[in-house]
Amino acid sequence: MRSVQDNMIEINNLTVQFDDTIVLKNVSTRIESEKMTCIIGRSGAGKSVLMKTVLGLINYTEGEILIDGFSIKNSDKKIKSKMAMVFQNSALFDSFNVFQNIAFPLQEHKKMSYLEIKNKVDEMIDLVKLPYIHELYPSDLSGGMRKRVALARAIVQEPKYLIYDEPTTGLDPITGGEIINLIETIHKKIGMTSIIITHDKDCINQLAEIKLEVSNNNVYEI
């Protein structure tokens, strides 16, 4: 029988240090499956560092990170494929059009025919409510549209855990509200675990089921 710890992200005594600077020290916390958790804190507190470390993008100095009971240091690609991130700047490929950007993870990691990929990309574009933009390039898109394309690319492989890094930063209040509503809709429709790094009070008030604050090199549930 699987334990509760086998269905969550568990962080134990995590320390992240860059040269002489300690960003996180002896951090222990859990992120429950299928919940919406907001990671809050001041700029530079280590919110993004924490989640990029969970993703395996940043190496940690000490401690342990478990995804569904498996250490990320020893896990195979199947475990790491459970996670995806929507980056603050969207991180789209400038030389790829929208279709190519969203299709990229499938082409890299899945054995699918062109028709299967096309159908999946069409599904994602419909889900983020951006029809008829397949051939457009990132430079043709508004900030809100780029966020939606980045979200479509992140969920195209149907990850179990989805991390949003400041999803409303740089957007006007109306567009930011639309993105918040879209995050909520996708979370409910797909049933994934949503982890939102944010300082946006509207985002926190509407989405947060659990709040974790990063402060003084540590993480506290509030």
Side-chain angles (χ1 to χ4, degrees), residues 19 24 28-29 32 37 45 50 86 88-89 94 100 103-104 122 131 135 140 142 148 166 172 189 196 213:
D19 296 325
L24 300 168
S28 293
T29 192
E32 296 183 29
T37 298
L50 175 64
V86 181
Q88 182 175 337
N89 64 355
D94 292 336
Q100 292 167 329
F104 181 78
D122 288 344
E135 302 301 321
D140 301 319
S142 67
R148 289 172 186 262
E166 301 285 3
D172 62 81
K189 185 167 184 176
I196 304 115
E213 181 176 5

Side-chain angles (χ1 to χ4, degrees), residues 68-130:
D68 295 344
F70 295 92
S71 170
I72 65 168
K73 279 195 172 178
N74 302 320
S75 62
D76 57 19
K77 291 181 179 180
K78 184 177 180 181
I79 299 299
K80 293 180 179 179
S81 69
K82 291 185 176 185
M83 307 190 68
M85 187 169 190
V86 181
F87 292 91
Q88 182 175 337
N89 64 355
S90 299
L92 300 177
F93 299 114
D94 292 336
S95 60
F96 286 9
N97 62 28
V98 168
F99 175 86
Q100 292 167 329
N101 264 286
I102 300 173
F104 181 78
L106 299 179
Q107 293 169 333
E108 288 292 301
H109 304 294
K110 301 287 186 180
K111 293 182 179 180
M112 300 172 65
S113 69
Y114 174 80
L115 182 58
E116 288 173 326
I117 291 175
K118 182 181 183 305
N119 289 340
K120 191 65 178 179
V121 171
D122 288 344
E123 179 187 344
M124 294 300 103
I125 287 177
D126 288 342
L127 189 57
V128 300
K129 301 178 181 178
L130 280 179

Side-chain angles (χ1 to χ4, degrees), residues 197-210:
I197 303 166
T198 186
H199 63 274
D200 185 331
K201 290 183 179 179
D202 290 336
C203 190
I204 296 165
N205 291 337
Q206 182 169 333
L207 299 180
E209 295 180 88
I210 299 170

Side-chain angles (χ1 to χ4, degrees), residues 19-37:
D19 296 325
D20 295 329
T21 302
I22 296 175
V23 181
L24 300 168
K25 185 175 182 179
N26 296 329
V27 169
S28 293
T29 192
R30 295 175 177 176
I31 297 175
E32 296 183 29
S33 182
E34 299 183 10
K35 298 287 187 180
M36 300 188 79
T37 298

